[in-house]
Amino acid sequence: MPRLLLLLLLALAACRTVPDRVTVASVPAIGPAPTDTTVAATALQAGPMLGYATHREVSVWVQTTRPAAVQVRYTPLEASGDTLGVPATAGVTPPTATTAEGDRIALVRIAGLEPGTRYDYEVLIDGAEVARPYPTTFRTQGLWQWRTDPPAFTVAVGSCTYVNDPPYDRPGKPAPDPRLRGEAGGYGGDYQIFESVRAQAPDLMLWTGDNVYLRETDWWSEAGIRYRYAHTRRLPEMQALLAAQPNYATWDDHDYGPDDSDRSYVLKGEALDAFADYWANPTYGLPTLPGVFGQFEWGDAAFFLLDDRTYRTPSDLVETEPRQILGEAQLAWLLDALTASRAPFKIVVSGGQVLNPVPVYETYANVAPEERARLLAGIVERRVEGIVFLSGDRHHTEVIRLQPEGFYPLYDFTSSPLTAGAATPRQELEHPARVPGTLVYGRRNFGTLTFTGPRTDRTLTMRTFDADGALLWTHAVRAADLRLPAPR
């Protein structure tokens, strides 16, 4: 080949386009990375965070301090279950470019993995490995269907993550050091709670709203919204948890816009874009219906993430139209999705409480009682079994139990707060719908859902832990208790 032609081909190859934000990859390893790990470490701002995971695909989120090329190298460590006799292969993803316009975020999707397999993974920035002071592994979902009983698995849950930012926090308690525990460092605190969550070794985590707290300086510009997301995401105590298991999220008012915000918020499109950039959920809304709502499955449980802000009517709306939280289209989607699901457990995840019958603050009963009645009536009329609600928002924790006439009992597990200020539910310290022994107030906490047992006798166990990981209460519900009585 003439030398001039060879040089031209090499130059064209060097200038090939690199995908901007997202890549799908499963390719053979390309050899060891360069050893300049010090330079690479300074290029990492936050992450890695594991996003969604399926039987054969996992997503990894990374944010850099400067525009860079991000790769993920992955190596199989162990396999469990039936992998159809296909050996797992190691690999490294093609480079994904981070840009200033995209908040220097890379979302890498690793496809072509094997079910039920644990992989070690490392992040490479500009070809150099970024060493982390904690393990970075992921496991694909096991292929148990039509083969074995469902696996036992645990879901960590929590809401209301406030990270102090003294220049922009409201006046009040001093915040000399945002690392301080408890209330001493300002409104946010007890950041060690993320280490306590990680110590439970959950299989995935659900962030159920108010995952950041937008401030007055953030609400009225997209740059402000993105600043707040980035500030919260780089909290040091959070990093090992983000990297340890898949993370799924929905929002509530504080990560959507101003306090108690609704469909009138003019930057809701920008807020949705920022949320989707910082949380790697598998889907967002429907092609003709934007929002953070969606659905995914883990083991024998189906999870339905709701958007309780985008279509919400103002709380002070006079009786000119029925008030709503989900809106007509999202409510129809939810009822259809619940009806179509064959999962024995259907976990409906909402930023705010659904079942609490007390009309206070932003409970469904207070904001949109007509739509709440339609939702519950739809569940009963369609005879949907296995429903458990999961919520946040309230800055206290409790389990609400509601028994529709002639139906099985419905539960709403509210878990709150993670690092925001803990509150006392003064207007509802006592009410008959609460499961005795489940009220936690005045302290930060997190929860877990653990699914165990053979396919024919599964049990869901709800637990709550304090910020240091001490168990506060346990409540178990059998799948059989979430079924309709057999017709006579």
Side-chain angles (χ1 to χ4, degrees):
M1 179 181 295
R3 179 179 177 79
L4 182 59
L5 178 59
L6 176 61
L7 291 175
L8 179 60
L9 291 174
L10 291 174
L12 289 172
C15 295
R16 69 187 185 277
T17 301
V18 177
D20 180 29
R21 299 281 291 282
V22 177
T23 185
V24 178
S26 179
V27 298
I30 59 175
T35 58
D36 191 1
T37 56
T38 302
V39 174
T42 63
L44 180 67
Q45 176 165 303
M49 179 188 78
L50 293 175
Y52 69 85
T54 70
H55 294 90
R56 303 200 64 201
E57 183 171 309
V58 168
S59 60
V60 181
W61 180 99
V62 175
Q63 188 172 40
T64 60
T65 59
R66 54 174 171 76
V70 174
Q71 296 170 274
V72 177
R73 184 170 58 208
Y74 51 97
T75 307
L77 298 178
E78 60 182 82
S80 64
D82 184 357
T83 59
L84 304 180
V86 179
T89 58
V92 61
T93 66
T96 297
T98 69
T99 65
E101 297 77 13
D103 277 8
R104 305 176 309 282
I105 291 172
L107 179 60
V108 181
R109 306 180 199 269
I110 311 172
L113 303 171
E114 292 305 322
T117 302
R118 183 172 293 281
Y119 291 81
D120 183 41
Y121 74 96
E122 302 91 28
V123 172
L124 313 179
I125 297 181
D126 291 335
E129 179 184 338
V130 182
R132 296 286 78 204
Y134 43 78
T136 52
T137 65
F138 63 76
R139 182 188 289 276
T140 53
Q141 292 199 46
L143 185 59
W144 60 272
Q145 292 88 343
W146 305 100
R147 292 163 175 81
T148 66
D149 284 326
F153 64 96
T154 294
V155 183
V157 298
S159 68
C160 305
T161 300
Y162 190 101
V163 176
N164 294 327
D165 193 2
Y168 308 114
D169 290 340
R170 294 180 182 180
K173 295 179 181 178
D177 181 357
R179 300 277 82 73
L180 291 178
R181 297 185 177 190
E183 296 290 346
Y187 182 68
D190 282 326
Y191 299 146
Q192 82 278 7
I193 195 170
F194 300 115
E195 298 161 356
S196 299
V197 176
R198 179 171 172 260
Q200 293 297 319
D203 294 277
L204 64 153
M205 179 156 183
L206 278 171
W207 303 76
T208 60
D210 293 341
N211 309 303
V212 306
Y213 274 71
L214 298 174
R215 319 288 211 266
E216 290 82 356
T217 53
D218 309 329
W219 294 333
W220 304 116
S221 73
E222 183 175 3
I225 295 170
R226 290 181 176 275
Y227 166 82
R228 184 58 51 206
Y229 273 76
H231 177 268
T232 299
R233 181 57 56 84
R234 65 174 178 259
L235 181 72
E237 291 88 342
M238 192 184 291
Q239 302 310 303
L241 174 64
L242 294 173
Q245 74 292 302
N247 296 270
Y248 300 81
T250 190
W251 65 15
D252 199 34
D253 53 342
H254 293 294
D255 38 3
Y256 168 79
D259 187 32
D260 296 351
S261 44
D262 53 54
R263 68 187 183 189
S264 67
Y265 179 48
V266 295
L267 291 181
K268 62 183 179 181
E270 289 80 358
L272 175 58
D273 289 343
F275 189 95
D277 281 345
Y278 279 84
W279 293 106
N281 290 348
T283 62
Y284 281 93
L286 297 173
T288 58
L289 192 68
V292 301
F293 67 93
Q295 178 183 353
F296 69 95
E297 291 191 358
W298 198 282
D300 60 338
F303 295 84
F304 304 84
L305 305 175
L306 301 185
D307 184 334
D308 69 344
R309 293 292 158 180
T310 301
Y311 303 99
R312 186 189 197 101
T313 52
S315 298
D316 296 329
L317 181 72
V318 295
E319 297 301 324
T320 56
E321 62 178 283
R323 290 179 293 174
Q324 60 186 28
I325 287 179
L326 302 180
E328 291 290 334
Q330 187 182 178
L331 178 60
W333 164 80
L334 174 61
L335 289 173
D336 283 349
L338 290 172
T339 303
S341 174
R342 297 184 179 181
F345 294 104
K346 302 172 181 67
I347 312 301
V348 181
V349 186
S350 172
Q353 287 186 313
V354 175
L355 296 188
N356 191 341
V358 183
V360 296
Y361 301 109
E362 289 199 293
T363 61
Y364 217 149
N366 193 41
V367 175
E370 305 93 344
E371 187 182 81
R372 176 180 181 270
R374 290 177 58 202
L375 169 60
L376 297 180
I379 290 171
V380 171
E381 290 167 1
R382 294 177 181 227
R383 301 178 62 81
V384 181
E385 298 182 322
I387 291 180
V388 173
F389 291 93
L390 185 63
S391 58
D393 173 58
R394 294 302 313 281
H395 295 242
H396 71 263
T397 287
E398 63 185 347
V399 176
I400 299 295
R401 183 182 186 273
L402 184 68
Q403 175 107 40
E405 184 177 355
F407 209 64
Y408 64 88
L410 299 172
Y411 292 88
D412 189 344
F413 179 12
T414 301
S415 183
S416 173
L418 286 167
T419 64
T424 301
R426 292 182 175 86
Q427 299 181 56
E428 47 189 315
L429 273 174
E430 301 292 338
H431 66 75
R434 181 184 298 124
V435 173
T438 64
L439 176 62
V440 176
Y441 63 91
R443 64 169 78 181
R444 299 178 174 104
N445 64 93
F446 68 94
T448 60
L449 307 175
T450 299
F451 301 80
T452 56
R455 182 182 60 82
T456 56
D457 189 20
R458 295 285 276 177
T459 297
L460 165 58
T461 302
M462 297 173 269
R463 295 182 175 90
T464 289
F465 302 83
D466 72 11
D468 292 315
L471 179 64
L472 300 179
W473 59 257
T474 298
H475 184 75
V477 179
R478 295 175 60 231
D481 297 331
L482 304 178
R483 298 184 190 131
L484 292 167
R488 296 182 179 179

